Amino acid sequence: VQREAAATLCNIALAEENKVVLARGGALPALISLAMSGDKQRELHSAAALANIAEMVEGRTQERMIEEGVLKPLLRLADSDDIEIRREVSRAFALFASKRDSHINLIRVHAAMRIMAFLNDIDDTCKRYGVLGLANLAVSRDTHQELFDVGAISKLLEVSHTVTNDILTRRAIAFAFNNISSNPANHIACERLGVIRSIITLLHDVDKDTTLQSTIAIRRLCESARCRSQFLELQGIPVLLVLGFSEDIEIKREVAAALRNLSLSEQCKVAIVKSTSGLGLICDFMHSSDVEVCHQSVGVLANLAEATENQGLMVTYGVLQHIKYVMRSKSIDIQREACRAMANISAEFSFSPAIVAEGSLLSLISAMSSPDFLCQRYAVMGIGNLASNPVNQKKIVQEGGLPSLISLCKFDNGDLESQRYASIALTNLSATKGNHSVMIDLGCLDLMNTLLHHHDVEIRNTAIFCIANFASNPNNHIIITKLPNCITTMISLLSIDDKDIQLHAVSCIRGLSTDANIRLDLINNNVLNPLLRLSKSDDIEMQMETLATLCNLSLCGCIGDNPLSFLDSISVVSLIAFLCSADSTYRLFGAVALGNIASSTPLQANLLEGGALGPLVTVA
């Protein structure tokens, strides 16, 4: 009678609507009793009935079953010598593990070890449910430490090496590895245990679900630098690239995302570009109708372009046209990554003409007006890089790049990095004198004067450099002198303990000092003392700029007023070097300086001892 009752309850529990009724209606104590009876037939049907009821994952059915104590008989039956009983028990545990709320109770009774024991079973079905049970347990991060401690992950690796024809088992193994890899805290352990090698093997699987789960696992593991290195060493990149040609859009998404993580490492960047199908696959992804695939692939390309070694190969392959294409995307995320890719490639001076020739300049200029500040930042970075090449400087202005650059340089979008790059771009553009009039008309010079007092040292330095470029053009001198406190600020910067700032300030004053009408203003503002101090600098470039500035200022007779202090600051050897220069202005400076010093009788011996007589006779 009990056997028939157990079989009847098992059959009744097959229907979806009966599972909750059985759990609520008092059937659980009877099934527990039957499962503990010692009779194999009763044990089999009761275990099957409990597994059927446990299929109701929604609601409180499993919770009620655990409260009634169903785990105890299931744990006892897990060691049964009857294969059918072990199958039903392993199925029941896999079902309990599929509900997160049940995990804490399974861990409390050490069910993980019992589930893991099924992986040693001679029956493939028991083994499959055992793998699935561990995979379901791994969904919750709270169980991960327990799974590692009892050796479940090592056992899964062992099974992954022996499974041959059972697709469902392989799929469950891939699911388990995916869940374990979802926790960054496990990545080092996965790398040490050899999980990546097993996942690469699963990437070859013919089953789409298995390859999808494996690809997700690789994508997650490759967030770790050590795992990326191991994946590269195990020749995983070619396998991943082959998967990218799958027709399944989910696999394409995961491959693109995995490549993006891999492309964070320098070695992987180079390996992807040098692989047979790397750039081809990525460019195909960029034209995908799926926004996520396109977004991830453009991000991969932007990362790859960070490696100087890759840039030539990428330009030769023709990636610029593909980047230009996706810059027209309606997705802000795609636009952002496309701008970043273009900015990275443009960092190489030799490729900037090719970028302009491909017609990407207008796209970058348009992107500076994007509603997304990161798009603006990367676009202005690209413009700044392109502007470093004199060939492009005039064209950027002609194509209408100045208004957006000035806007970003004014901090209109609230992004400091954009302001820095915009100031660099404007400084580069100011290197071409033909741009000066347009830039001044749009207020660039006034803007740079205000940035001399900016809180960011990089922006201050760039502003000084930009004004120095303007000062190299005599047509701008009167305008610069009318800028509020510009000259006094430049002179004060000569005393700042920053060599870059000092050098650019000297360059600016040097440009202004070529104007006879400005020299006296500079002298009256006490420019000589800081210049004489800088003439003793250990930096050769600083010395030359300072001496050239003093050369210009000497034409107004400032040296003759105090030749001793001048000689104390500048060695006779330096003056003789100017006297022997191929530049007539430098020779004039040397001659005037030596002449003014020689006007003082006590100093004449210094000149003779320094070897000035021979060069003076030659010049004469």
Side-chain angles (χ1 to χ4, degrees):
V1 173
Q2 287 185 340
R3 287 176 179 174
E4 291 300 323
T8 303
L9 289 172
C10 176
N11 291 334
I12 291 173
L14 290 172
E16 193 76 16
E17 62 273 14
N18 295 336
K19 301 179 192 298
V20 176
V21 175
L22 287 170
R24 290 177 177 175
L28 293 177
L31 288 171
I32 291 171
S33 176
L34 290 169
M36 302 285 283
S37 66
D39 177 68
K40 282 186 169 48
Q41 197 167 345
R42 282 178 286 175
E43 289 174 345
L44 172 61
H45 291 308
S46 58
L50 290 172
N52 290 339
I53 296 172
E55 289 176 352
M56 181 54 67
V57 178
E58 295 80 11
R60 293 190 66 254
T61 301
Q62 284 196 10
E63 185 180 348
R64 187 174 285 109
M65 293 176 72
I66 292 172
E67 289 172 353
E68 292 285 350
V70 300
L71 293 181
K72 183 178 179 180
L74 289 174
L75 288 169
R76 189 182 71 83
L77 292 176
D79 294 326
S80 173
D81 56 4
D82 187 284
I83 289 179
E84 292 294 330
I85 293 175
R86 293 202 305 275
R87 283 180 183 173
E88 294 303 329
V89 173
S90 62
R91 182 167 70 93
F93 276 122
L95 289 166
F96 277 113
S98 67
K99 186 177 176 66
R100 281 176 178 266
D101 294 343
S102 302
H103 288 180
I104 187 170
N105 293 295
L106 291 172
I107 294 298
R108 187 177 296 137
V109 297
H110 305 292
M113 294 186 67
R114 309 300 293 177
I115 296 172
M116 186 179 69
F118 290 122
L119 272 62
N120 294 318
D121 205 291
I122 59 173
D123 181 64
D124 287 342
T125 303
C126 289
K127 189 176 294 184
R128 179 196 310 153
Y129 284 128
V131 172
L132 183 59
L134 293 176
N136 287 338
L137 273 178
V139 169
S140 173
R141 292 189 178 185
D142 295 336
T143 66
H144 289 181
Q145 191 59 52
E146 174 78 6
L147 293 176
F148 277 103
D149 290 345
V150 300
I153 307 304
S154 298
K155 195 64 186 176
L156 282 171
L157 288 170
E158 183 182 324
V159 173
S160 71
H161 297 149
T162 58
V163 172
T164 53
N165 298 322
D166 192 353
I167 290 178
L168 294 177
T169 302
R170 295 199 303 272
R171 189 182 297 173
I173 291 171
F175 181 49
F177 288 152
N178 178 19
N179 291 333
I180 289 296
S181 65
S182 67
N183 187 353
N186 299 333
H187 289 182
I188 294 177
C190 288
E191 183 247 341
R192 289 176 179 170
L193 290 172
V195 172
I196 294 175
R197 185 185 298 275
S198 295
I199 296 176
I200 291 174
T201 302
L202 292 170
L203 288 174
H204 290 92
D205 206 284
V206 295
D207 178 58
K208 286 187 177 180
D209 288 332
T210 301
T211 54
L212 176 60
Q213 293 293 331
S214 302
T215 310
I216 297 172
I218 287 297
R219 185 252 296 171
R220 288 170 163 170
L221 286 170
C222 286
E223 294 172 4
S224 163
R226 290 177 60 172
C227 290
R228 290 195 292 268
S229 297
Q230 190 177 75
F231 188 74
L232 176 64
E233 290 170 5
L234 294 172
Q235 302 297 315
I237 289 178
V239 181
L240 192 64
L241 292 173
V242 170
L243 269 182
F245 292 100
S246 167
E247 296 299 321
D248 188 282
I249 194 63
E250 286 295 330
I251 291 178
K252 285 179 179 289
R253 287 175 182 168
E254 292 302 329
V255 169
L259 286 171
R260 185 164 184 177
N261 287 340
L262 282 165
S263 63
L264 294 173
S265 292
E266 289 300 315
Q267 290 179 322
C268 292
K269 287 181 172 81
V270 176
I272 292 171
V273 171
K274 289 186 175 180
S275 62
T276 306
S277 58
L279 288 176
L281 177 66
I282 294 166
C283 289
D284 285 347
F285 278 178
M286 289 168 68
H287 293 270
S288 172
S289 58
D290 185 81
V291 174
E292 186 60 25
V293 172
C294 182
H295 171 222
Q296 295 290 357
S297 60
V298 182
V300 174
L301 205 63
N303 290 343
L304 297 180
E306 291 174 354
T308 307
E309 186 177 347
N310 287 342
Q311 292 171 350
L313 295 171
M314 294 171 70
V315 171
T316 302
Y317 187 84
V319 299
L320 294 176
Q321 280 291 349
H322 298 284
I323 298 173
K324 179 186 172 185
Y325 170 79
V326 295
M327 285 182 78
R328 299 195 296 267
S329 171
K330 293 180 180 179
S331 167
I332 291 294
D333 291 332
I334 294 174
Q335 289 178 15
R336 183 188 306 139
E337 294 303 325
C339 289
R340 185 165 71 92
M342 195 67 79
N344 287 339
I345 295 176
S346 66
E348 176 55 45
F349 183 84
S350 58
F351 299 137
S352 59
I355 293 173
V356 175
E358 291 283 356
S360 300
L361 176 58
L362 280 174
S363 300
L364 285 173
I365 291 174
S366 298
M368 287 196 293
S369 301
S370 168
D372 180 70
F373 80 93
L374 286 175
C375 275
Q376 292 176 325
R377 178 192 295 179
Y378 295 131
V380 72
M381 184 195 303
I383 294 292
N385 290 336
L386 294 177
S388 65
N389 192 322
V391 175
N392 300 327
Q393 290 167 358
K394 194 79 172 176
K395 191 170 183 63
I396 292 172
V397 174
Q398 291 171 345
E399 296 292 349
L402 278 178
S404 296
L405 285 173
I406 290 174
S407 172
L408 293 175
C409 196
K410 288 180 177 178
F411 199 59
D412 285 351
N413 74 340
D415 179 48
L416 181 62
E417 288 296 319
S418 297
Q419 189 180 23
R420 285 174 178 165
Y421 290 126
S423 64
I424 291 171
L426 290 171
T427 300
N428 289 338
L429 293 177
S430 67
T432 294
K433 292 183 180 180
N435 292 335
H436 286 184
S437 59
V438 180
M439 296 178 73
I440 290 173
D441 290 343
L442 290 175
C444 181
L445 197 48
D446 291 305
L447 172 60
M448 291 299 166
N449 188 46
T450 62
L451 294 180
L452 291 176
H453 305 283
H454 198 277
H455 64 85
D456 184 76
V457 65
E458 291 184 28
I459 292 177
R460 285 203 310 272
N461 198 355
T462 308
I464 300 165
F465 196 4
C466 187
I467 294 175
N469 285 341
F470 280 106
S472 67
N473 186 348
N475 296 331
N476 303 329
H477 288 176
I478 294 177
I479 300 172
I480 293 174
T481 57
K482 291 181 179 179
L483 293 174
N485 302 316
C486 183
I487 290 179
T488 55
T489 301
M490 284 292 175
I491 294 173
S492 67
L493 291 172
L494 297 176
S495 302
I496 297 291
D497 188 20
D498 186 306
K499 286 189 176 181
D500 288 332
I501 290 178
Q502 289 175 336
L503 180 60
H504 294 149
V506 172
S507 298
C508 179
I509 294 171
R510 176 193 175 188
L512 294 174
S513 66
T514 61
D515 193 315
N517 297 320
I518 300 176
R519 289 175 195 143
L520 286 176
D521 288 338
L522 293 171
I523 298 298
N524 291 336
N525 280 288
N526 299 316
V527 74
L528 279 180
N529 289 333
L531 284 175
L532 291 173
R533 283 197 299 271
L534 290 176
S535 67
K536 296 179 179 179
S537 171
D538 296 331
D539 187 279
I540 298 299
E541 190 176 5
M542 181 78 75
Q543 279 188 19
M544 295 305 295
E545 283 294 320
T546 303
L547 291 172
T549 306
L550 289 169
C551 166
N552 293 334
L553 293 173
S554 69
L555 299 177
C556 70
C558 61
I559 298 175
D561 293 339
N562 196 350
L564 183 58
S565 63
F566 190 81
L567 187 60
D568 286 340
S569 300
I570 303 176
S571 68
V572 173
V573 175
S574 298
L575 293 175
I576 293 172
F578 274 84
L579 196 62
C580 300
S581 172
D583 188 289
S584 59
T585 304
Y586 282 11
R587 289 200 303 274
L588 177 60
F589 165 64
V592 171
L594 290 170
N596 285 327
I597 294 170
S599 65
S600 174
T601 304
L603 299 179
Q604 291 173 358
N606 295 47
L607 299 183
L608 294 174
E609 291 172 3
L613 185 57
L616 282 170
V617 171
T618 302
V619 172

